[in-house]
Amino acid sequence: GKPLENKKIALTSKEPNFFYEIPAMGNISKNVKILQVSSDGEQILYNQPTSPGTKISLYVPLKNNSKIRIFIDGVLIDEK
């Protein structure tokens, strides 16, 4: 294969493949946590206060039997 060109590799070198829009519930930031659950265990992909209506784009590594769980203020509101 070709050698990797270092100058092109940024911290976000992977294209986002997961998109989620936070429901517009009021105008107060809520703590949003996005977990990937797979046979390897749980991995936190996103965990920070987020304003309602924000569109989140993430790169999610592909894993066997993985699910994405979205929590808002600690409550599971969606699973993909």
Side-chain angles (χ1 to χ4, degrees):
K2 296 178 186 167
L4 289 173
E5 291 184 323
N6 287 332
K7 63 188 177 211
K8 283 189 182 170
I9 296 177
L11 286 173
T12 52
S13 58
K14 298 186 164 84
E15 290 288 310
N17 58 3
F18 175 81
F19 303 93
Y20 191 76
E21 185 170 348
I22 303 304
M25 301 179 290
N27 53 11
I28 300 165
S29 284
K30 303 198 181 296
N31 188 66
V32 176
K33 183 164 74 171
I34 301 177
L35 277 183
Q36 182 179 35
V37 183
S38 69
S39 42
D40 296 340
E42 293 185 351
Q43 184 178 9
I44 295 173
L45 303 174
Y46 183 95
N47 188 12
Q48 63 191 65
T50 307
S51 302
T54 300
K55 292 182 174 72
I56 296 173
S57 313
L58 297 172
Y59 172 73
V60 176
L62 297 176
K63 293 185 177 175
N64 288 338
N65 308 320
S66 78
K67 288 182 187 161
I68 303 295
R69 290 187 175 147
I70 298 142
F71 295 84
I72 295 184
D73 285 345
V75 178
L76 178 65
I77 58 146
D78 209 346
E79 184 171 280
K80 297 183 180 298

